Each structure stands twice: as structure tokens, then as C-alpha cells.
mmCIF file of all heavy atoms in Angstrom:
data_model
loop_
_atom_site.group_PDB
_atom_site.id
_atom_site.type_symbol
_atom_site.label_atom_id
_atom_site.label_comp_id
_atom_site.label_asym_id
_atom_site.label_seq_id
_atom_site.Cartn_x
_atom_site.Cartn_y
_atom_site.Cartn_z
ATOM 1 N N TYR A 21 -5.863 -6.918 -2.764
ATOM 2 C CA TYR A 21 -5.844 -6.226 -1.470
ATOM 3 C C TYR A 21 -4.953 -4.993 -1.514
ATOM 4 O O TYR A 21 -5.252 -3.983 -0.878
ATOM 5 C CB TYR A 21 -5.410 -7.172 -0.358
ATOM 6 C CG TYR A 21 -6.395 -8.297 -0.106
ATOM 7 C CD1 TYR A 21 -5.966 -9.536 0.329
ATOM 8 C CD2 TYR A 21 -7.759 -8.121 -0.321
ATOM 9 C CE1 TYR A 21 -6.861 -10.569 0.559
ATOM 10 C CE2 TYR A 21 -8.661 -9.148 -0.100
ATOM 11 C CZ TYR A 21 -8.207 -10.371 0.343
ATOM 12 O OH TYR A 21 -9.094 -11.380 0.566
ATOM 13 N N GLN A 22 -3.866 -5.073 -2.256
ATOM 14 C CA GLN A 22 -3.002 -3.902 -2.377
ATOM 15 C C GLN A 22 -3.748 -2.773 -3.080
ATOM 16 O O GLN A 22 -3.565 -1.603 -2.743
ATOM 17 C CB GLN A 22 -1.722 -4.256 -3.123
ATOM 18 C CG GLN A 22 -0.673 -3.169 -3.031
ATOM 19 C CD GLN A 22 0.631 -3.594 -3.652
ATOM 20 O OE1 GLN A 22 0.654 -4.231 -4.692
ATOM 21 N NE2 GLN A 22 1.731 -3.233 -3.013
ATOM 22 N N ALA A 23 -4.602 -3.112 -4.019
ATOM 23 C CA ALA A 23 -5.398 -2.090 -4.699
ATOM 24 C C ALA A 23 -6.307 -1.370 -3.719
ATOM 25 O O ALA A 23 -6.474 -0.149 -3.795
ATOM 26 C CB ALA A 23 -6.228 -2.712 -5.814
ATOM 27 N N LYS A 24 -6.870 -2.103 -2.771
ATOM 28 C CA LYS A 24 -7.738 -1.470 -1.779
ATOM 29 C C LYS A 24 -6.958 -0.445 -0.956
ATOM 30 O O LYS A 24 -7.441 0.646 -0.681
ATOM 31 C CB LYS A 24 -8.381 -2.523 -0.877
ATOM 32 C CG LYS A 24 -9.385 -3.406 -1.599
ATOM 33 C CD LYS A 24 -9.915 -4.500 -0.688
ATOM 34 C CE LYS A 24 -10.802 -5.457 -1.424
ATOM 35 N NZ LYS A 24 -12.168 -5.031 -1.565
ATOM 36 N N VAL A 25 -5.731 -0.813 -0.590
ATOM 37 C CA VAL A 25 -4.889 0.121 0.162
ATOM 38 C C VAL A 25 -4.541 1.323 -0.712
ATOM 39 O O VAL A 25 -4.583 2.466 -0.251
ATOM 40 C CB VAL A 25 -3.607 -0.591 0.657
ATOM 41 C CG1 VAL A 25 -2.641 0.406 1.287
ATOM 42 C CG2 VAL A 25 -3.955 -1.694 1.647
ATOM 43 N N CYS A 26 -4.213 1.068 -1.978
ATOM 44 C CA CYS A 26 -3.835 2.166 -2.879
ATOM 45 C C CYS A 26 -5.012 3.082 -3.191
ATOM 46 O O CYS A 26 -4.837 4.301 -3.291
ATOM 47 C CB CYS A 26 -3.226 1.605 -4.163
ATOM 48 S SG CYS A 26 -1.589 0.870 -3.910
ATOM 49 N N VAL A 27 -6.201 2.527 -3.332
ATOM 50 C CA VAL A 27 -7.388 3.362 -3.560
ATOM 51 C C VAL A 27 -7.625 4.256 -2.343
ATOM 52 O O VAL A 27 -7.882 5.458 -2.479
ATOM 53 C CB VAL A 27 -8.635 2.498 -3.872
ATOM 54 C CG1 VAL A 27 -9.918 3.312 -3.752
ATOM 55 C CG2 VAL A 27 -8.507 1.879 -5.254
ATOM 56 N N SER A 28 -7.494 3.694 -1.149
ATOM 57 C CA SER A 28 -7.623 4.511 0.060
ATOM 58 C C SER A 28 -6.539 5.578 0.095
ATOM 59 O O SER A 28 -6.789 6.715 0.519
ATOM 60 C CB SER A 28 -7.524 3.636 1.309
ATOM 61 O OG SER A 28 -8.622 2.763 1.375
ATOM 62 N N GLY A 29 -5.351 5.201 -0.350
ATOM 63 C CA GLY A 29 -4.247 6.158 -0.402
ATOM 64 C C GLY A 29 -4.509 7.290 -1.369
ATOM 65 O O GLY A 29 -4.191 8.447 -1.078
ATOM 66 N N VAL A 30 -5.078 6.983 -2.511
ATOM 67 C CA VAL A 30 -5.429 8.035 -3.470
ATOM 68 C C VAL A 30 -6.439 8.984 -2.848
ATOM 69 O O VAL A 30 -6.324 10.201 -2.978
ATOM 70 C CB VAL A 30 -5.975 7.415 -4.794
ATOM 71 C CG1 VAL A 30 -6.646 8.463 -5.659
ATOM 72 C CG2 VAL A 30 -4.856 6.719 -5.556
ATOM 73 N N ASN A 31 -7.407 8.425 -2.141
ATOM 74 C CA ASN A 31 -8.395 9.264 -1.464
ATOM 75 C C ASN A 31 -7.741 10.142 -0.402
ATOM 76 O O ASN A 31 -8.099 11.305 -0.245
ATOM 77 C CB ASN A 31 -9.498 8.403 -0.846
ATOM 78 C CG ASN A 31 -10.343 7.729 -1.899
ATOM 79 O OD1 ASN A 31 -10.482 8.218 -3.014
ATOM 80 N ND2 ASN A 31 -10.892 6.566 -1.563
ATOM 81 N N LEU A 32 -6.769 9.593 0.310
ATOM 82 C CA LEU A 32 -6.048 10.382 1.309
ATOM 83 C C LEU A 32 -5.251 11.501 0.646
ATOM 84 O O LEU A 32 -5.215 12.628 1.150
ATOM 85 C CB LEU A 32 -5.106 9.479 2.120
ATOM 86 C CG LEU A 32 -4.212 10.169 3.139
ATOM 87 C CD1 LEU A 32 -5.056 10.863 4.217
ATOM 88 C CD2 LEU A 32 -3.256 9.170 3.764
ATOM 89 N N LEU A 33 -4.621 11.213 -0.475
ATOM 90 C CA LEU A 33 -3.835 12.236 -1.178
ATOM 91 C C LEU A 33 -4.694 13.416 -1.634
ATOM 92 O O LEU A 33 -4.186 14.525 -1.772
ATOM 93 C CB LEU A 33 -3.112 11.633 -2.376
ATOM 94 C CG LEU A 33 -1.952 10.690 -2.059
ATOM 95 C CD1 LEU A 33 -1.353 10.137 -3.340
ATOM 96 C CD2 LEU A 33 -0.897 11.387 -1.229
ATOM 97 N N SER A 34 -5.974 13.168 -1.885
ATOM 98 C CA SER A 34 -6.841 14.270 -2.288
ATOM 99 C C SER A 34 -7.008 15.282 -1.148
ATOM 100 O O SER A 34 -7.259 16.453 -1.394
ATOM 101 C CB SER A 34 -8.206 13.747 -2.742
ATOM 102 O OG SER A 34 -8.937 13.222 -1.647
ATOM 103 N N LYS A 35 -6.843 14.827 0.078
ATOM 104 C CA LYS A 35 -6.978 15.715 1.238
ATOM 105 C C LYS A 35 -5.628 16.126 1.813
ATOM 106 O O LYS A 35 -5.482 17.220 2.341
ATOM 107 C CB LYS A 35 -7.815 15.025 2.306
ATOM 108 C CG LYS A 35 -9.257 14.786 1.876
ATOM 109 C CD LYS A 35 -10.007 14.002 2.936
ATOM 110 C CE LYS A 35 -11.449 13.800 2.614
ATOM 111 N NZ LYS A 35 -11.796 13.234 1.373
ATOM 112 N N ARG A 36 -4.639 15.223 1.718
ATOM 113 C CA ARG A 36 -3.303 15.477 2.284
ATOM 114 C C ARG A 36 -2.232 15.028 1.289
ATOM 115 O O ARG A 36 -1.693 13.921 1.393
ATOM 116 C CB ARG A 36 -3.138 14.722 3.590
ATOM 117 C CG ARG A 36 -4.088 15.201 4.648
ATOM 118 C CD ARG A 36 -3.723 14.645 5.993
ATOM 119 N NE ARG A 36 -4.692 15.155 6.959
ATOM 120 C CZ ARG A 36 -5.166 14.448 7.946
ATOM 121 N NH1 ARG A 36 -4.773 13.212 8.122
ATOM 122 N NH2 ARG A 36 -6.026 14.990 8.777
ATOM 123 N N PRO A 37 -1.907 15.861 0.328
ATOM 124 C CA PRO A 37 -0.935 15.491 -0.708
ATOM 125 C C PRO A 37 0.442 15.113 -0.163
ATOM 126 O O PRO A 37 1.169 14.348 -0.787
ATOM 127 C CB PRO A 37 -0.837 16.743 -1.578
ATOM 128 C CG PRO A 37 -2.092 17.500 -1.328
ATOM 129 C CD PRO A 37 -2.487 17.196 0.076
ATOM 130 N N GLY A 38 0.789 15.580 1.007
ATOM 131 C CA GLY A 38 2.097 15.278 1.577
ATOM 132 C C GLY A 38 2.199 13.908 2.217
ATOM 133 O O GLY A 38 3.266 13.503 2.659
ATOM 134 N N ALA A 39 1.121 13.151 2.247
ATOM 135 C CA ALA A 39 1.099 11.847 2.919
ATOM 136 C C ALA A 39 1.518 10.704 2.005
ATOM 137 O O ALA A 39 1.334 9.545 2.358
ATOM 138 C CB ALA A 39 -0.295 11.587 3.478
ATOM 139 N N VAL A 40 2.109 11.005 0.862
ATOM 140 C CA VAL A 40 2.418 9.964 -0.113
ATOM 141 C C VAL A 40 3.352 8.903 0.451
ATOM 142 O O VAL A 40 3.211 7.714 0.158
ATOM 143 C CB VAL A 40 2.955 10.570 -1.435
ATOM 144 C CG1 VAL A 40 4.335 11.182 -1.242
ATOM 145 C CG2 VAL A 40 2.976 9.528 -2.535
ATOM 146 N N GLY A 41 4.310 9.278 1.281
ATOM 147 C CA GLY A 41 5.230 8.303 1.866
ATOM 148 C C GLY A 41 4.523 7.297 2.744
ATOM 149 O O GLY A 41 4.821 6.096 2.711
ATOM 150 N N LYS A 42 3.572 7.765 3.526
ATOM 151 C CA LYS A 42 2.796 6.878 4.395
ATOM 152 C C LYS A 42 1.935 5.931 3.575
ATOM 153 O O LYS A 42 1.790 4.752 3.909
ATOM 154 C CB LYS A 42 1.929 7.698 5.346
ATOM 155 C CG LYS A 42 2.743 8.505 6.333
ATOM 156 C CD LYS A 42 1.878 9.423 7.158
ATOM 157 C CE LYS A 42 2.768 10.253 8.068
ATOM 158 N NZ LYS A 42 2.058 11.266 8.799
ATOM 159 N N VAL A 43 1.381 6.455 2.502
ATOM 160 C CA VAL A 43 0.527 5.638 1.637
ATOM 161 C C VAL A 43 1.350 4.544 0.961
ATOM 162 O O VAL A 43 0.945 3.377 0.921
ATOM 163 C CB VAL A 43 -0.177 6.532 0.589
ATOM 164 C CG1 VAL A 43 -0.880 5.705 -0.451
ATOM 165 C CG2 VAL A 43 -1.144 7.480 1.277
ATOM 166 N N ILE A 44 2.509 4.893 0.445
ATOM 167 C CA ILE A 44 3.365 3.911 -0.230
ATOM 168 C C ILE A 44 3.835 2.851 0.761
ATOM 169 O O ILE A 44 3.875 1.655 0.441
ATOM 170 C CB ILE A 44 4.550 4.607 -0.923
ATOM 171 C CG1 ILE A 44 4.030 5.408 -2.120
ATOM 172 C CG2 ILE A 44 5.606 3.598 -1.370
ATOM 173 C CD1 ILE A 44 5.066 6.300 -2.760
ATOM 174 N N THR A 45 4.163 3.267 1.969
ATOM 175 C CA THR A 45 4.578 2.305 2.989
ATOM 176 C C THR A 45 3.462 1.321 3.295
ATOM 177 O O THR A 45 3.704 0.105 3.393
ATOM 178 C CB THR A 45 5.008 3.041 4.282
ATOM 179 O OG1 THR A 45 6.086 3.925 3.966
ATOM 180 C CG2 THR A 45 5.436 2.066 5.361
ATOM 181 N N SER A 46 2.251 1.809 3.428
ATOM 182 C CA SER A 46 1.107 0.918 3.689
ATOM 183 C C SER A 46 0.904 -0.069 2.546
ATOM 184 O O SER A 46 0.669 -1.261 2.772
ATOM 185 C CB SER A 46 -0.164 1.736 3.894
ATOM 186 O OG SER A 46 -0.061 2.521 5.048
ATOM 187 N N ALA A 47 1.011 0.409 1.328
ATOM 188 C CA ALA A 47 0.845 -0.467 0.171
ATOM 189 C C ALA A 47 1.985 -1.476 0.076
ATOM 190 O O ALA A 47 1.778 -2.635 -0.302
ATOM 191 C CB ALA A 47 0.759 0.364 -1.108
ATOM 192 N N ALA A 48 3.188 -1.061 0.439
ATOM 193 C CA ALA A 48 4.350 -1.954 0.374
ATOM 194 C C ALA A 48 4.224 -3.103 1.368
ATOM 195 O O ALA A 48 4.742 -4.202 1.115
ATOM 196 C CB ALA A 48 5.623 -1.170 0.620
ATOM 197 N N LEU A 49 3.547 -2.881 2.468
ATOM 198 C CA LEU A 49 3.357 -3.965 3.435
ATOM 199 C C LEU A 49 2.558 -5.111 2.831
ATOM 200 O O LEU A 49 2.837 -6.278 3.101
ATOM 201 C CB LEU A 49 2.687 -3.436 4.701
ATOM 202 C CG LEU A 49 3.568 -2.527 5.557
ATOM 203 C CD1 LEU A 49 2.760 -1.912 6.693
ATOM 204 C CD2 LEU A 49 4.775 -3.270 6.096
ATOM 205 N N VAL A 50 1.574 -4.798 2.015
ATOM 206 C CA VAL A 50 0.799 -5.838 1.344
ATOM 207 C C VAL A 50 1.685 -6.542 0.310
ATOM 208 O O VAL A 50 1.626 -7.762 0.157
ATOM 209 C CB VAL A 50 -0.466 -5.251 0.679
ATOM 210 C CG1 VAL A 50 -1.282 -6.346 0.017
ATOM 211 C CG2 VAL A 50 -1.305 -4.490 1.698
ATOM 212 N N GLU A 51 2.521 -5.784 -0.357
ATOM 213 C CA GLU A 51 3.446 -6.326 -1.369
ATOM 214 C C GLU A 51 4.379 -7.376 -0.777
ATOM 215 O O GLU A 51 4.766 -8.330 -1.451
ATOM 216 C CB GLU A 51 4.281 -5.175 -1.950
ATOM 217 C CG GLU A 51 5.255 -5.584 -3.007
ATOM 218 C CD GLU A 51 4.648 -5.570 -4.383
ATOM 219 O OE1 GLU A 51 3.590 -4.954 -4.572
ATOM 220 O OE2 GLU A 51 5.246 -6.172 -5.279
ATOM 221 N N THR A 52 4.715 -7.202 0.484
ATOM 222 C CA THR A 52 5.643 -8.121 1.152
ATOM 223 C C THR A 52 5.183 -9.567 1.020
ATOM 224 O O THR A 52 5.986 -10.462 0.784
ATOM 225 C CB THR A 52 5.760 -7.745 2.646
ATOM 226 O OG1 THR A 52 6.178 -6.385 2.740
ATOM 227 C CG2 THR A 52 6.742 -8.632 3.369
ATOM 228 N N TYR A 53 3.904 -9.809 1.136
ATOM 229 C CA TYR A 53 3.402 -11.180 1.081
ATOM 230 C C TYR A 53 3.469 -11.754 -0.326
ATOM 231 O O TYR A 53 3.672 -12.962 -0.496
ATOM 232 C CB TYR A 53 1.997 -11.246 1.695
ATOM 233 C CG TYR A 53 2.108 -10.959 3.166
ATOM 234 C CD1 TYR A 53 1.932 -9.672 3.650
ATOM 235 C CD2 TYR A 53 2.511 -11.944 4.047
ATOM 236 C CE1 TYR A 53 2.112 -9.385 4.991
ATOM 237 C CE2 TYR A 53 2.689 -11.670 5.395
ATOM 238 C CZ TYR A 53 2.500 -10.393 5.860
ATOM 239 O OH TYR A 53 2.695 -10.113 7.184
ATOM 240 N N ALA A 54 3.353 -10.911 -1.326
ATOM 241 C CA ALA A 54 3.551 -11.376 -2.694
ATOM 242 C C ALA A 54 5.011 -11.759 -2.909
ATOM 243 O O ALA A 54 5.314 -12.752 -3.583
ATOM 244 C CB ALA A 54 3.136 -10.302 -3.696
ATOM 245 N N ILE A 55 5.926 -10.996 -2.328
ATOM 246 C CA ILE A 55 7.352 -11.315 -2.445
ATOM 247 C C ILE A 55 7.661 -12.628 -1.725
ATOM 248 O O ILE A 55 8.413 -13.460 -2.241
ATOM 249 C CB ILE A 55 8.214 -10.150 -1.912
ATOM 250 C CG1 ILE A 55 8.039 -8.937 -2.832
ATOM 251 C CG2 ILE A 55 9.682 -10.555 -1.808
ATOM 252 C CD1 ILE A 55 8.615 -7.646 -2.287
ATOM 253 N N PHE A 56 7.063 -12.844 -0.557
ATOM 254 C CA PHE A 56 7.259 -14.113 0.146
ATOM 255 C C PHE A 56 6.765 -15.271 -0.720
ATOM 256 O O PHE A 56 7.422 -16.302 -0.842
ATOM 257 C CB PHE A 56 6.503 -14.126 1.482
ATOM 258 C CG PHE A 56 7.041 -13.191 2.521
ATOM 259 C CD1 PHE A 56 6.236 -12.797 3.580
ATOM 260 C CD2 PHE A 56 8.333 -12.693 2.473
ATOM 261 C CE1 PHE A 56 6.715 -11.938 4.560
ATOM 262 C CE2 PHE A 56 8.826 -11.833 3.449
ATOM 263 C CZ PHE A 56 8.012 -11.456 4.491
ATOM 264 N N ALA A 57 5.594 -15.118 -1.305
ATOM 265 C CA ALA A 57 5.035 -16.176 -2.155
ATOM 266 C C ALA A 57 5.919 -16.410 -3.380
ATOM 267 O O ALA A 57 6.129 -17.555 -3.796
ATOM 268 C CB ALA A 57 3.616 -15.815 -2.584
ATOM 269 N N LEU A 58 6.444 -15.326 -3.954
ATOM 270 C CA LEU A 58 7.351 -15.460 -5.097
ATOM 271 C C LEU A 58 8.563 -16.300 -4.704
ATOM 272 O O LEU A 58 8.960 -17.216 -5.437
ATOM 273 C CB LEU A 58 7.787 -14.085 -5.588
ATOM 274 C CG LEU A 58 8.859 -14.069 -6.677
ATOM 275 C CD1 LEU A 58 8.331 -14.680 -7.965
ATOM 276 C CD2 LEU A 58 9.342 -12.640 -6.915
ATOM 277 N N LEU A 59 9.145 -16.015 -3.560
ATOM 278 C CA LEU A 59 10.311 -16.777 -3.104
ATOM 279 C C LEU A 59 9.969 -18.250 -2.886
ATOM 280 O O LEU A 59 10.739 -19.133 -3.280
ATOM 281 C CB LEU A 59 10.877 -16.165 -1.822
ATOM 282 C CG LEU A 59 11.564 -14.819 -1.988
ATOM 283 C CD1 LEU A 59 11.922 -14.236 -0.625
ATOM 284 C CD2 LEU A 59 12.790 -14.941 -2.864
ATOM 285 N N ILE A 60 8.829 -18.506 -2.277
ATOM 286 C CA ILE A 60 8.430 -19.891 -2.011
ATOM 287 C C ILE A 60 8.158 -20.637 -3.313
ATOM 288 O O ILE A 60 8.363 -21.842 -3.401
ATOM 289 C CB ILE A 60 7.198 -19.937 -1.074
ATOM 290 C CG1 ILE A 60 7.575 -19.396 0.298
ATOM 291 C CG2 ILE A 60 6.640 -21.339 -0.957
ATOM 292 C CD1 ILE A 60 8.709 -20.136 0.993
#
């Protein structure tokens, strides 16, 4: 699922290169659940 967000982010960067922070934040939200699972 994080890949889906990152692929969309890559597509966004092709049109708006300055949006990298927003893209990384969106991808990091998916990462949060992997970190929760790692802790559990």
C-alpha cells in the first residue's frame, strides 16, 4: 500500500516538484502501521 502512495507521489512530482514534503508525509502515514506491527 505504501508503494501505491509513493507511485502516486512520483506522478505528482512530475507536475509539482516542490510537493515532495507532502508526498513523503503521505507515504509515512502508511509506514506508521508497519511500525505498530513491528512493536507488537
Side-chain angles (χ1 to χ4, degrees):
Y21 294 149
Q22 192 174 40
K24 292 176 186 277
V25 173
C26 290
V27 165
S28 294
V30 166
N31 292 333
L32 176 62
L33 289 178
S34 69
K35 295 176 177 53
R36 296 192 180 142
V40 69
K42 294 174 183 174
V43 171
I44 290 171
T45 301
S46 295
L49 290 173
V50 182
E51 181 88 17
T52 303
Y53 293 94
I55 293 169
F56 292 160
L58 173 66
L59 290 173
I60 294 301

